[in-house]
Amino acid sequence: MSAISPTLALRDGREIPQVGLGVWKASQEQATMAVREALNAGYRHIDTAAIYKNEEGVGAGLRESGVPREDVFLTTKVWNRDQGFESTKDAARASLDRLGVDYVDLLLIHWPVPMVDRYVDTWKAMIELRDAGLARSIGVSNFTPATLDRLVDETGEAPVINQIEVHPYLQQETMRAVDAGHGALTEAWSPLGQSHVLGDPVIEAIAAKHGRTPAQVVIRWHVQLGNVVIPKSVTPARIVSNIQVFDFALDSDDLAAIGALDRGERFGPDPDTFGPPRP
Ligand SMILES: NC(=O)c1ccc[n+]([C@@H]2O[C@H](COP(=O)([O-])OP(=O)(O)OC[C@H]3O[C@@H](n4cnc5c(N)ncnc54)[C@H](OP(=O)(O)O)[C@@H]3O)[C@@H](O)[C@H]2O)c1
């Protein structure tokens, strides 16, 4: 059974499939299998990063699937140590080489790393990469209100997306509003809370009520909030079921119950302090 995700409009006029596949922690071989399975199951959006060290595997899965390159929305990210004007361009070209593609659909600054303070120069390089056609759209990840405001103030160019940690235990109402104020979509990473939220009794009860899996309930919650969402799995049956979320809806009671789970709990690092180079 396959399912096709609807798309959301990006501020630059392009479109992104709302549900995609994340591949953090997948090996090269797992990434190839997961990308191939996902594309065969109807996914048209894959999220990787240079630091995941599986871009070759992702590219192989894309080619093995037989799905035309132009039908797939492919994201990668510039890693922290590659920030800076020339180094960002070199890093992006190296990612394209590893992926075996001529362009990515979305290139993100992976973390702002504010204490190193190179994200504005990095963004200027990304604007050039976009204008040269190597990235169709450009965005950021893990940006905070302060770093996002400064990026826009100094360059006059807002990202199309801010990819941040969002799940029922960290709902990010403030940051989602700041993103929207810049015309940027919010993309949820660790959307399942790295699986920690799936055993929550509230999520389990809503899943039982709808005859769905807890993961489908959480992914559907992201969809109804308007988030782009990239659940990761290297398990074929989960890859298939995680995108079967367009044939049911959460009601206002469900949304209120999940809304009440917010407790500001991060499973990943804090963007204000993450990423300084090791001495
Ligand atoms: N920008 C950033 O800084 C950043 C940071 C973290 C993540 N990300 C991106 O976001 C993606 C998703 O985040 P994530 O990988 O941290 O966590 P996640 O998607 O919240 O959770 C992934 C975990 O949930 C399990 N899982 C998936 N579907 C399931 C299901 N239907 N039932 C039960 N368990 C299920 C997976 O197991 P199996 O794989 O074993 O099936 C895996 O252990 C990443 O892969 C990456 O692309 C970005």
Side-chain angles (χ1 to χ4, degrees):
M1 196 156 109
S2 73
I4 297 290
S5 168
T7 58
L8 297 180
L10 298 168
R11 62 188 301 283
D12 62 4
R14 304 189 65 82
E15 307 234 324
I16 183 168
Q18 191 172 10
V19 177
L21 178 79
V23 295
W24 182 36
K25 293 183 180 163
S27 66
Q28 299 279 12
E29 295 72 23
Q30 286 175 321
T32 299
M33 177 277 293
V35 168
R36 193 183 58 231
E37 294 286 324
L39 294 174
N40 287 333
Y43 287 71
R44 290 295 179 267
H45 170 187
I46 308 292
D47 182 271
T48 186
I51 196 65
Y52 300 170
K53 305 213 179 309
N54 59 22
E55 290 175 309
E56 293 94 337
V58 166
L62 179 58
R63 288 184 291 279
E64 284 179 16
S65 75
V67 175
R69 166 70 189 95
E70 60 272 21
D71 292 351
V72 180
F73 191 103
L74 182 58
T75 300
T76 196
K77 313 185 189 89
V78 175
W79 184 238
N80 301 344
R81 72 168 163 269
D82 293 322
Q83 285 202 24
F85 190 75
E86 291 303 332
S87 45
T88 291
K89 293 187 185 177
D90 291 345
R93 290 193 193 96
S95 278
L96 294 180
D97 282 351
R98 288 189 293 267
L99 288 160
V101 297
D102 301 329
Y103 66 91
V104 285
D105 295 273
L106 181 61
L107 184 66
L108 301 177
I109 304 179
H110 206 144
W111 291 85
V113 203
M115 66 298 289
V116 169
D117 196 14
R118 284 198 213 117
Y119 63 86
V120 174
D121 280 347
T122 300
W123 188 237
K124 289 176 180 166
M126 290 182 41
I127 292 169
E128 286 201 9
L129 287 163
R130 190 228 16 231
D131 292 347
L134 276 60
R136 296 264 163 102
S137 296
I138 51 174
V140 297
S141 180
N142 299 302
F143 273 51
T144 57
T147 50
L148 188 52
D149 286 346
R150 179 163 164 230
L151 199 69
V152 178
D153 284 349
E154 294 204 14
T155 66
E157 179 104 30
V160 298
I161 268 185
N162 187 15
Q163 185 185 113
I164 58 173
E165 182 177 353
V166 190
H167 44 71
Y169 294 163
L170 182 73
Q171 299 190 14
Q172 297 267 26
E173 198 179 339
T174 301
M175 196 63 233
R176 287 193 288 116
V178 172
D179 293 342
H182 285 291
L185 297 180
T186 296
E187 179 170 15
W189 64 253
S190 294
L192 309 175
Q194 300 178 7
S195 83
H196 297 294
V197 305
L198 301 179
D200 189 287
V202 169
I203 302 290
E204 286 187 332
I206 296 170
K209 171 177 150 186
H210 290 278
R212 296 287 172 154
T213 68
Q216 287 172 323
V217 165
V218 175
I219 295 164
R220 179 71 205 181
W221 171 78
H222 285 285
V223 165
Q224 289 185 220
L225 279 189
N227 297 335
V228 179
V229 53
I230 44 170
K232 173 264 179 182
S233 181
V234 293
T235 309
R238 292 175 174 172
I239 292 172
V240 170
S241 67
N242 285 351
I243 200 169
Q244 311 285 334
V245 295
F246 300 105
D247 55 352
F248 79 109
L250 301 175
D251 61 31
S252 54
D253 290 346
D254 303 330
L255 295 173
I258 299 174
L261 295 178
D262 194 13
R263 57 192 198 205
E265 182 176 1
R266 288 185 188 280
F267 296 111
D270 183 334
D272 281 328
T273 53
F274 182 68
R278 295 202 185 90

